Amino acid sequence: MSRVEEFEDLRPLLFSIAYRLLGSVSEAEDAVQETWLRHELSPTRPVSAKAYLSAVVTRVAIDVLRSARVRREEYVGPWFPEPLLDDPYEDPERSAELADSLSMASLLLLERLSPLERAVFVLREVFAYGFPEIASTVGRSQAACRQLAVRARRHMDAGRPRFDADRGEREKLAERFFGAIQEGDVDGLRDLLAADVSMAADSGGKAPRWARGFCGADQVSRVLAAVFPPFARIGGTVEPQRMNGQPGAIFRDRNGGVLNTWTLDILDGQIQAIRTVSNPDKLGHMGPVADAWAVMRETRQVRAEADWPAELTEFTEPPSPELPEP
């Protein structure tokens, strides 16, 4: 097998490791490309291509993560991972771990770990690498790596998200949810939401967003019911999709451009959290990105021209938005 064939065979695994470490599709792809360059330029062939390439992509990702953590501290508003439609790596023996580690909630928990803790946790708990391999990868002793793994596992277990096990039931609930949004059904939405449901948006300061997140079934249901009618009036559509292994959707403008993505955390037959990503820098890998500001202006005009009930517009735009329209 040639080096190229060897690398391409392992590319899905390398991307999956890098994405879980970085929470970014673009940065993970760059890390994989850097790994290939180092592999191509190496004068010797490794005994185990999998061990060698996994170690290289992990080291590259750790370096990127250290600089990214500084940038994320200066990020405007909430920071969410870049949405991912499909994980290219499959392992039937690790399917549960792979699925859980891909969710937005799990990736946000990983953000709380140090770069080394995150690397050790992902390699050990998600991909089942042995401690000798992990120690060689991160440049620490096996004993130190075991301690890192214990600390990381303790942090993750303390906040680990739980989801309904039945994937089919989650998909049915999500279908009802997006149907109620399109119908502007406040009562129907309220029945699907947990009492303390939260809704937050990541725009990075580059797209419209609500000034603050919303909490509580009553407030969130009224906001959601107000969102879609004017959006649909100008040709906007909702495309249900699995997002990071969980039910979600892509919102598109009339031309099919990606406006934002939504992901839903579902437990005990109710939606616990809704996370939206509208930062255009995080959506380009899904296709052409819509002009969110133009869509906002159109929906404002539609609302101004229509006689919307007051209870459906009260929470749509806070009186003092944090981000002014350019």
Side-chain angles (χ1 to χ4, degrees), residues 151-221:
R151 288 204 302 268
R153 193 181 305 116
R154 186 183 302 124
H155 286 303
M156 293 297 290
D157 288 344
R160 189 184 297 275
R162 295 184 299 126
F163 305 109
D164 284 346
D166 191 321
R167 175 174 172 174
E169 289 301 316
R170 281 182 290 165
E171 299 293 346
K172 289 179 182 178
L173 190 148
E175 183 178 355
R176 291 168 55 200
F177 170 76
F178 288 113
I181 286 178
Q182 295 178 59
E183 295 171 4
D185 183 358
V186 176
D187 292 334
L189 285 166
R190 190 182 294 113
D191 291 341
L192 299 174
L193 302 174
D196 59 349
V197 64
S198 62
M199 182 175 183
D202 172 351
S203 73
K206 298 182 179 182
R209 74 175 178 90
W210 293 297
R212 296 176 179 81
F214 295 96
C215 296
D218 184 62
Q219 188 181 53
V220 171
S221 63

Side-chain angles (χ1 to χ4, degrees), residues 34-92:
E34 176 64 22
T35 300
W36 160 247
L37 293 175
R38 296 187 186 188
H39 183 45
E40 183 183 33
L41 295 174
S42 176
T44 59
R45 293 286 291 271
V47 175
S48 169
K50 178 181 177 182
Y52 169 76
L53 292 172
S54 298
V56 172
V57 81
T58 300
R59 292 171 193 151
V60 171
I62 288 174
D63 289 342
V64 174
L65 184 60
R66 284 171 172 152
S67 62
R69 288 168 72 89
V70 175
R71 296 196 305 272
R72 290 171 191 176
E73 290 175 358
E74 301 171 350
Y75 196 79
V76 178
W79 181 93
F80 294 154
E82 287 185 16
L84 183 67
L85 290 177
D86 297 302
D87 186 358
Y89 178 69
E90 296 181 0
D91 181 352

